[in-house]
Amino acid sequence: MIRVISTAIAALLLTLPTIGLGQQSSDEMAEGRAMVQAGREELIRSELRFTDQESAAFWPIYERYQAASSAIGDRYAALLTEYIDRYHSGDLSDEYAIRLLDEYFGIKQEMLDVQTKFSPKFMEVLPALKVAQFFQLENKIRAEIDSQLAIAIPLIDPT
């Protein structure tokens, strides 16, 4: 199942270098993100093997968790889009780098805050081992996304 998500992520990111150039529409980006989300939900279903009671309690909380996570993902996508656009136009500066790092670290912290906030909510309806497994799956998916981004996004050349 991680392979399905990896394929969706790769397809989404193949055109990442052109996002800032206006060659990939926001509809295409939304479609790619929806594919990743569908794969994520299928992976959760198959790996966690919920009972009917657990499933009924988990998914409403997950929807709220995903809405909060998605809003952060939107900020991250906008940050990446701006960076790629500025990279291609040669508009990188020390001032921009400071703002880029501040925003990046803020996004990472905000995601950690969301996970910390929702962990007890998930533990109210699932055994702790399933909650831990859920966050392991989330971390694996995020690691795959980060790995693909590391390949697709050009490094800043400080010279």
Side-chain angles (χ1 to χ4, degrees):
M1 185 50 63
I2 287 284
R3 183 177 292 171
V4 171
I5 293 172
S6 296
T7 302
I9 293 167
L12 175 63
L13 296 178
L14 275 176
T15 57
L16 188 59
T18 64
I19 291 172
L21 301 175
Q23 295 177 6
Q24 184 181 29
S25 73
S26 59
D27 289 344
E28 289 172 316
M29 180 68 96
E31 184 178 312
R33 289 179 74 188
M35 286 173 47
V36 171
Q37 181 57 29
R40 170 182 269 135
E41 289 177 13
E42 183 57 36
L43 179 64
I44 292 167
R45 279 187 185 88
S46 69
E47 292 295 322
L48 291 179
R49 296 183 295 272
F50 295 125
T51 65
D52 290 342
Q53 182 179 1
E54 289 171 340
S55 182
F58 173 82
W59 290 109
I61 298 168
Y62 178 79
E63 287 175 17
R64 293 191 306 277
Y65 167 80
Q66 190 54 39
S69 299
S70 182
I72 298 166
D74 291 344
R75 284 185 43 222
Y76 191 42
L79 181 70
L80 294 176
T81 300
E82 178 188 17
Y83 167 73
I84 291 170
D85 187 41
R86 291 179 74 132
Y87 176 89
H88 287 300
S89 68
D91 186 24
L92 299 178
S93 64
D94 284 339
E95 293 79 18
Y96 173 70
I98 291 167
R99 188 170 61 81
L100 178 73
L101 288 170
D102 286 346
E103 181 72 10
Y104 173 78
F105 292 136
I107 288 167
K108 291 295 185 181
Q109 184 62 55
E110 192 173 338
M111 189 64 230
L112 182 59
D113 292 346
V114 167
Q115 290 174 318
T116 302
K117 174 185 172 183
F118 276 88
S119 178
K121 296 176 188 308
F122 288 127
M123 284 201 209
E124 289 175 9
V125 299
L126 294 177
L129 287 173
K130 281 192 178 179
V131 174
Q133 184 183 26
F134 165 71
F135 281 110
Q136 283 180 318
L137 291 170
E138 284 285 295
N139 289 335
K140 283 180 181 256
I141 293 165
R142 289 184 201 287
E144 181 63 29
I145 291 168
D146 287 344
S147 145
Q148 295 295 324
L149 286 170
I151 293 166
I153 296 177
L155 286 175
I156 291 175
D157 182 4
T159 58

Short mmCIF file of all heavy atoms in Angstrom, two decimals, residues 48-60 125-127 130:
data_model
loop_
_atom_site.label_atom_id
_atom_site.label_comp_id
_atom_site.label_asym_id
_atom_site.label_seq_id
_atom_site.Cartn_x
_atom_site.Cartn_y
_atom_site.Cartn_z
N LEU A 48 -4.57 -0.87 10.27
CA LEU A 48 -5.07 -0.81 11.64
C LEU A 48 -6.17 -1.84 11.94
O LEU A 48 -6.43 -2.13 13.09
CB LEU A 48 -5.56 0.60 11.97
CG LEU A 48 -4.46 1.65 12.06
CD1 LEU A 48 -5.03 3.03 12.36
CD2 LEU A 48 -3.43 1.28 13.11
N ARG A 49 -6.81 -2.34 10.92
CA ARG A 49 -7.84 -3.38 11.08
C ARG A 49 -8.77 -3.07 12.27
O ARG A 49 -8.81 -3.79 13.27
CB ARG A 49 -7.18 -4.75 11.23
CG ARG A 49 -6.42 -5.18 10.00
CD ARG A 49 -5.84 -6.58 10.14
NE ARG A 49 -4.84 -6.70 11.17
CZ ARG A 49 -3.53 -6.48 11.01
NH1 ARG A 49 -3.07 -6.15 9.84
NH2 ARG A 49 -2.69 -6.62 12.00
N PHE A 50 -9.53 -2.00 12.11
CA PHE A 50 -10.46 -1.56 13.14
C PHE A 50 -11.60 -2.54 13.34
O PHE A 50 -12.06 -3.16 12.39
CB PHE A 50 -11.10 -0.22 12.75
CG PHE A 50 -10.16 0.94 12.66
CD1 PHE A 50 -10.07 1.68 11.49
CD2 PHE A 50 -9.37 1.30 13.73
CE1 PHE A 50 -9.22 2.76 11.40
CE2 PHE A 50 -8.51 2.39 13.65
CZ PHE A 50 -8.43 3.11 12.48
N THR A 51 -12.07 -2.61 14.57
CA THR A 51 -13.35 -3.25 14.81
C THR A 51 -14.41 -2.27 14.31
O THR A 51 -14.11 -1.10 14.07
CB THR A 51 -13.57 -3.53 16.31
OG1 THR A 51 -13.66 -2.28 16.99
CG2 THR A 51 -12.46 -4.40 16.90
N ASP A 52 -15.65 -2.72 14.20
CA ASP A 52 -16.72 -1.81 13.78
C ASP A 52 -16.84 -0.63 14.74
O ASP A 52 -17.02 0.52 14.32
CB ASP A 52 -18.05 -2.55 13.67
CG ASP A 52 -18.08 -3.51 12.49
OD1 ASP A 52 -17.24 -3.38 11.58
OD2 ASP A 52 -18.95 -4.40 12.49
N GLN A 53 -16.75 -0.91 16.02
CA GLN A 53 -16.87 0.14 17.03
C GLN A 53 -15.70 1.13 16.93
O GLN A 53 -15.90 2.34 16.99
CB GLN A 53 -16.92 -0.48 18.43
CG GLN A 53 -17.10 0.52 19.55
CD GLN A 53 -17.17 -0.13 20.92
OE1 GLN A 53 -17.06 -1.35 21.06
NE2 GLN A 53 -17.33 0.68 21.94
N GLU A 54 -14.49 0.61 16.78
CA GLU A 54 -13.32 1.48 16.64
C GLU A 54 -13.44 2.35 15.39
O GLU A 54 -13.16 3.55 15.42
CB GLU A 54 -12.04 0.65 16.57
CG GLU A 54 -11.64 0.00 17.88
CD GLU A 54 -10.48 -0.97 17.72
OE1 GLU A 54 -10.22 -1.44 16.59
OE2 GLU A 54 -9.84 -1.27 18.74
N SER A 55 -13.85 1.74 14.31
CA SER A 55 -13.99 2.47 13.05
C SER A 55 -14.99 3.61 13.18
O SER A 55 -14.72 4.74 12.75
CB SER A 55 -14.41 1.51 11.93
OG SER A 55 -14.50 2.19 10.71
N ALA A 56 -16.13 3.32 13.78
CA ALA A 56 -17.17 4.33 13.94
C ALA A 56 -16.68 5.50 14.79
O ALA A 56 -17.05 6.65 14.55
CB ALA A 56 -18.41 3.70 14.57
N ALA A 57 -15.83 5.23 15.76
CA ALA A 57 -15.32 6.28 16.63
C ALA A 57 -14.10 7.00 16.03
O ALA A 57 -13.93 8.21 16.22
CB ALA A 57 -14.94 5.69 17.99
N PHE A 58 -13.28 6.26 15.30
CA PHE A 58 -12.03 6.83 14.77
C PHE A 58 -12.25 7.83 13.64
O PHE A 58 -11.66 8.92 13.65
CB PHE A 58 -11.12 5.69 14.27
CG PHE A 58 -9.89 6.17 13.55
CD1 PHE A 58 -8.76 6.58 14.26
CD2 PHE A 58 -9.85 6.23 12.17
CE1 PHE A 58 -7.63 7.02 13.61
CE2 PHE A 58 -8.72 6.68 11.49
CZ PHE A 58 -7.61 7.07 12.21
N TRP A 59 -13.05 7.46 12.64
CA TRP A 59 -13.11 8.26 11.41
C TRP A 59 -13.61 9.69 11.60
O TRP A 59 -13.08 10.61 10.96
CB TRP A 59 -13.86 7.51 10.31
CG TRP A 59 -13.04 6.34 9.84
CD1 TRP A 59 -13.30 5.02 10.06
CD2 TRP A 59 -11.80 6.39 9.11
NE1 TRP A 59 -12.29 4.25 9.52
CE2 TRP A 59 -11.36 5.07 8.93
CE3 TRP A 59 -11.01 7.42 8.61
CZ2 TRP A 59 -10.18 4.74 8.26
CZ3 TRP A 59 -9.84 7.12 7.95
CH2 TRP A 59 -9.43 5.79 7.78
N PRO A 60 -14.58 9.94 12.47
CA PRO A 60 -14.95 11.36 12.68
C PRO A 60 -13.81 12.19 13.27
O PRO A 60 -13.60 13.34 12.88
CB PRO A 60 -16.14 11.28 13.65
CG PRO A 60 -16.70 9.92 13.44
CD PRO A 60 -15.53 9.04 13.14
N VAL A 125 -10.58 6.56 21.91
CA VAL A 125 -11.42 5.63 21.15
C VAL A 125 -10.65 4.41 20.63
O VAL A 125 -11.26 3.47 20.12
CB VAL A 125 -12.12 6.34 19.97
CG1 VAL A 125 -13.02 7.46 20.47
CG2 VAL A 125 -11.12 6.86 18.94
N LEU A 126 -9.33 4.42 20.76
CA LEU A 126 -8.51 3.31 20.29
C LEU A 126 -7.50 2.91 21.36
O LEU A 126 -7.07 3.76 22.16
CB LEU A 126 -7.71 3.70 19.03
CG LEU A 126 -8.45 4.01 17.75
CD1 LEU A 126 -7.45 4.45 16.68
CD2 LEU A 126 -9.24 2.81 17.27
N PRO A 127 -7.06 1.65 21.34
CA PRO A 127 -5.96 1.26 22.23
C PRO A 127 -4.69 2.04 21.87
O PRO A 127 -4.48 2.40 20.70
CB PRO A 127 -5.78 -0.23 21.95
CG PRO A 127 -6.99 -0.68 21.22
CD PRO A 127 -7.57 0.52 20.55
N LYS A 130 -2.69 0.95 18.82
CA LYS A 130 -3.23 1.33 17.51
C LYS A 130 -2.97 2.81 17.22
O LYS A 130 -2.72 3.18 16.08
CB LYS A 130 -4.72 1.02 17.40
CG LYS A 130 -4.99 -0.45 17.11
CD LYS A 130 -6.42 -0.71 16.71
CE LYS A 130 -6.61 -2.18 16.40
NZ LYS A 130 -7.98 -2.50 16.04
#
